[in-house]
Amino acid sequence: MATNVFKKYLSLLAFTAPAFVIYAIFLLYPTFSGMFYSLTDWNGLNQDYSFIGLGNFLELFKEDPDFLNSLWFTMKYVIFMLILQNGIALLLAVFIESRTRSKGLFRTLFFMPNMISTIISAFMWTFIFSQVLPQLAQKLALSFLDQQWLGDPKFSFYSILIVSLWNGVGYMMIIYLAALQGVPKSLKEAAVIDGANAFQVLRNVVLPMITHAVTICFFLTLNGAFKVFEVVYGLTGGGPGRATQVITMNIYEEAFSNNFRYGYASAKSVVLFIIVLIFTLIQITVMKKKEVEA
């Protein structure tokens, strides 16, 4: 009996070992290496470095206003993405689920932007913002379209949001749509018979039944928004000035543009990791309680 159990676990280990080795090499090792180098002044090029303890962390909080500004901008972006991406995705999912025909067509149309690379989407929208919208504003007399969408700090943030939502809403919509299909029709019909309108059915019947999907989508949105890079890099490059610089771009700039300060950039990466970890734990804890209450 013990031999059979040993063979069973050995076979399971044999199947999981390749994936674990790859995971350890490409994720665990770089993660712990980054934590170590965050305590050094390594420049990424030389083998020699000095151990400076918490010096990098003290510098980034006391002497690096650009990092704090990028942190604030990233937080603002995360809040907007959490609300807008999940709200729009849920509304689209409800719209598609309520239709009796053409569900497949609408699913495909709304999901298609997600199939395009984020950096390609950014280049496409750069052309739209700089060439298409001014032409439309001129020909259709829609002056509000003729703005410096990428060159004005007031509009560049909204440009980043538009492209991020266009590219990411479809994926969240699919998750919500799958959850909506699991809600028993009998519950919704009973609520309608009791006199509930469409909004009341959505709020009191549907949403409590899909809380698990909301937890997943909030988790994915939160992590993706904190780690956003490609869309900002492709649209504004962090400009104008540093008005749209996110944390990941600040880290990238520190590692590859400012004298190759890999140790300092690693310290910023550790701070980002801790921030994402804290917010993720809070979000999961709160949402899990909502699931239990539902």
Side-chain angles (χ1 to χ4, degrees), residues 1-293:
M1 183 68 178
T3 303
N4 293 334
V5 173
F6 176 75
K7 289 183 178 180
K8 177 181 177 180
Y9 283 106
L10 188 61
S11 62
L12 291 175
L13 180 62
F15 277 108
T16 57
F20 178 76
V21 170
I22 294 175
Y23 178 80
I25 293 174
F26 292 102
L27 185 64
L28 293 182
Y29 176 72
T31 299
F32 288 106
S33 296
M35 292 180 178
F36 171 77
Y37 286 122
S38 69
L39 305 174
T40 70
D41 61 355
W42 186 48
N43 63 7
L45 300 175
N46 299 329
Q47 294 182 353
D48 299 329
Y49 55 82
S50 299
F51 185 82
I52 60 175
L54 299 178
N56 287 327
F57 295 94
L58 294 175
E59 180 182 349
L60 68 89
F61 283 113
K62 291 184 176 181
E63 305 175 16
D64 195 344
D66 292 333
F67 175 76
L68 298 179
N69 291 334
S70 67
L71 176 60
W72 159 244
F73 182 83
T74 304
M75 292 295 297
K76 183 171 69 168
Y77 174 82
V78 168
I79 293 172
F80 273 84
M81 286 296 292
L82 274 175
I83 298 172
L84 294 178
Q85 182 161 276
N86 285 279
I88 296 173
L90 180 58
L91 290 176
L92 290 177
V94 171
F95 165 73
I96 295 174
E97 180 62 18
S98 64
R99 294 187 62 84
T100 56
R101 297 182 179 180
S102 305
K103 288 186 178 181
L105 175 62
F106 282 104
R107 278 199 304 263
T108 303
L109 288 176
F110 290 128
F111 185 73
M112 280 182 65
N114 187 259
M115 301 172 64
I116 303 175
S117 169
T118 306
I119 192 67
I120 299 300
S121 299
F123 291 148
M124 289 170 50
W125 278 91
T126 298
F127 175 77
I128 293 173
F129 286 130
S130 61
Q131 301 295 329
V132 177
L133 293 186
Q135 292 294 326
L136 288 177
Q138 182 178 0
K139 294 182 178 180
L140 301 179
L142 300 174
S143 58
F144 68 93
L145 293 178
D146 190 10
Q147 307 290 342
Q148 293 293 326
W149 291 100
L150 304 179
D152 189 333
K154 294 186 297 183
F155 295 100
S156 53
F157 174 70
Y158 300 109
S159 302
I160 293 171
L161 278 180
I162 290 171
V163 180
S164 298
L165 293 171
W166 181 81
N167 196 257
V169 162
Y171 186 78
M172 303 301 166
M173 178 200 70
I174 294 297
I175 297 176
Y176 283 124
L177 194 57
L180 288 173
Q181 291 174 348
V183 178
K185 292 183 179 180
S186 58
L187 292 179
K188 294 186 285 188
E189 292 172 354
V192 172
I193 293 173
D194 289 338
N197 56 36
F199 177 76
Q200 291 172 330
V201 172
L202 176 63
R203 178 183 177 183
N204 300 317
V205 178
V206 175
L207 285 180
M209 296 290 293
I210 64 169
T211 312
H212 60 287
V214 177
T215 302
I216 294 171
C217 289
F218 267 63
F219 172 79
L220 295 175
T221 304
L222 187 68
N223 280 267
F226 268 115
K227 296 184 291 185
V228 63
F229 179 83
E230 297 98 325
V231 63
V232 180
Y233 183 81
L235 283 174
T236 66
R242 296 175 183 268
T244 60
Q245 188 179 73
V246 289
I247 296 180
T248 51
M249 285 203 67
N250 186 269
I251 295 171
Y252 172 85
E253 181 183 81
E254 203 67 60
F256 298 102
S257 300
N258 294 349
N259 301 319
F260 295 96
R261 300 186 66 189
Y262 274 72
Y264 190 46
S266 296
K268 293 184 176 183
S269 299
V270 171
V271 172
L272 175 59
F273 169 76
I274 294 173
I275 292 173
V276 174
L277 179 62
I278 292 173
F279 276 88
T280 300
L281 290 176
I282 294 173
Q283 179 258 321
I284 292 177
T285 302
V286 173
M287 297 302 294
K288 284 297 181 182
K289 290 182 179 179
K290 295 291 184 181
E291 289 184 28
V292 173
E293 293 174 1

